[in-house]
Amino acid sequence: MVKFLYRQFQIVGRHVPTEKDPNPQIYRMKMWARDEVKAKSKFWYFLRKLRRVKKANGQILAVNEIFEKNPTTIKNYGIWVRYNSRTGVHNAYKEYRDTTLNGAVEQMYQEMGSRHRARHSAISIIKTATVKAADCKRPNITQFHDSKISFPVPRRMVRPSSRVYKTTYKASRPSAACY
Amino acid sequence: MPFKRTVEIGRVVMVTYGADYGKLYVISDVVDLNKALVDRPDEVRRTMNFKRMVMTDFKVDIPRLAKKAVLKKALEESDVFAKFAASTWGQKMAKREAKANLNDFERHMAAVNKMKRSAKVRRAFNKLKKSA
């Protein structure tokens, strides 16, 4: 099984019950983080922005990892992000094709890093959704919505079948031809 | 000249890198320009990068994301894996594997037979050279 860089957690927490408020509002958030600890930390970060609660006077009721239900089918994921650039804050909507949501989120972080130099700490995921093929907006995603898809792989990367066979010099010129 | 071995649903691919070297899979769906969902009757469907595989001449007629039973039936009817094994490419793969799995005695016999054969060839060649 592929080891995901960013795992999805469901975190449920609330303010500790007090005399004034014996049944505080319970909040549930879905976070993507490398591990549970970071997920919980981000949970408090976001919850502090919603109401007057911090980790010291709050309690986490549940932490569950969310796994992909159908990792053998390809889905189109739409991810709404808010990210800090060098000069301001922006919202973005990005689409990815992947078999799992964790994979799509990983793609998103990679792409944001490469295209906008936005690091993980500068990105917040607002929303994620599985988008139907008809509703996809990005042409680089919709180009794969073809049940009769067919394209060649024009150049073959010539490499040894295992790193054991890797040598600096080869006896003959490799052929990268592919037909 | 147009490309014949295209990436398409149903294309039989051979893995050329990693633990699954030499195994044949069928493309079940295309994720994006780098990855495809590949499937085999005895394995769970998974993604694989195109860099790890090479397209073969063979193709089965299956729908997108075909169920295991459908895939199995299509493979059995078309007998693609056997056809590949009978093709020149498949035979070369088999010979390579056989050579890699020779035991010490078999390797000795192979060397002895090679020497005998080349001696006969050389003798015949030298005779022809002398008479020419």
Side-chain angles (χ1 to χ4, degrees), chain A residues 72-74 97-99 107 144 146-147 149-154 156-157 159-163 178-179, chain B residues 3-9 16-18 21 29-33 37 44-45 47 50-52 54 65:
Chain A
T72 57
T73 54
I74 299 169
R97 247 173 99 75
D98 206 310
T99 49
Q107 270 186 293
F144 292 102
D146 180 5
S147 64
I149 190 167
S150 167
F151 58 89
V153 183
R156 179 162 56 106
M157 192 166 101
R159 67 172 169 177
S161 58
S162 148
R163 300 216 61 198
C178 216
Y179 44 90
Chain B
F3 293 96
K4 284 198 224 88
R5 293 180 185 163
T6 57
V7 169
E8 52 198 334
I9 292 164
T16 52
Y17 185 84
Y21 181 85
D29 199 357
V30 175
V31 179
D32 56 24
L33 85 103
L37 260 187
V44 180
R45 202 195 291 156
T47 51
F50 289 128
K51 291 184 180 174
R52 284 201 171 204
V54 82
L65 294 174

Side-chain angles (χ1 to χ4, degrees), chain B residues 45-94:
Chain B
R45 202 195 291 156
R46 62 188 169 104
T47 51
M48 199 189 286
N49 196 315
F50 289 128
K51 291 184 180 174
R52 284 201 171 204
M53 54 167 114
V54 82
M55 310 291 131
T56 65
D57 289 318
F58 300 100
K59 180 174 183 283
V60 276
D61 202 7
I62 52 165
R64 198 175 72 91
L65 294 174
K67 288 199 166 50
K68 273 287 192 291
V70 174
L71 175 70
K72 247 191 201 156
K73 186 155 166 279
L75 281 173
E76 275 163 20
E77 273 177 14
S78 63
D79 212 12
V80 168
F81 285 6
K83 282 201 190 130
F84 177 80
S87 68
T88 328
W89 185 352
Q91 284 173 1
K92 272 197 278 185
M93 298 293 298

Side-chain angles (χ1 to χ4, degrees), chain A residues 98-166:
Chain A
D98 206 310
T99 49
T100 62
L101 185 46
N102 289 358
V105 165
E106 192 174 330
Q107 270 186 293
M108 182 276 293
Y109 278 116
Q110 298 283 51
E111 193 183 348
M112 292 301 290
S114 76
R115 284 192 203 275
H116 306 289
R117 303 299 192 250
R119 277 89 193 174
H120 172 87
S121 53
I123 297 171
S124 335
I125 300 176
I126 301 170
K127 176 176 147 187
T128 61
T130 313
V131 184
K132 278 209 300 271
D135 301 332
C136 282
K137 285 163 58 174
R138 306 294 184 235
N140 71 326
I141 300 296
T142 52
Q143 70 179 337
F144 292 102
H145 295 153
D146 180 5
S147 64
K148 304 254 183 306
I149 190 167
S150 167
F151 58 89
V153 183
R155 257 183 98 75
R156 179 162 56 106
M157 192 166 101
V158 181
R159 67 172 169 177
S161 58
S162 148
R163 300 216 61 198
V164 180
Y165 304 121
K166 181 178 153 183

Side-chain angles (χ1 to χ4, degrees), chain B residues 98-118:
Chain B
K99 189 168 180 192
N101 290 333
L102 289 175
N103 65 28
D104 188 51
F105 179 67
E106 283 165 358
R107 258 178 280 138
H108 168 78
M109 286 315 296
V112 160
N113 289 333
K114 188 175 180 188
M115 275 197 286
K116 282 193 189 152
R117 185 171 186 269
S118 60

Side-chain angles (χ1 to χ4, degrees), chain A residues 46-92:
Chain A
F46 285 116
L47 203 58
R48 271 204 312 271
K49 294 186 183 294
L50 292 174
R51 69 163 276 169
R52 196 77 176 275
V53 62
K54 43 185 196 175
K55 184 175 171 198
N57 54 26
Q59 52 185 199
I60 287 192
L61 302 172
V63 176
N64 304 101
E65 186 164 359
I66 297 178
F67 300 99
E68 185 68 33
K69 204 160 175 202
N70 286 321
T72 57
T73 54
I74 299 169
K75 291 159 290 272
N76 309 295
Y77 292 102
I79 304 183
W80 287 259
V81 232
R82 175 197 147 117
Y83 71 100
N84 275 323
S85 70
R86 290 176 188 147
T87 45
V89 187
H90 314 270
N91 291 327

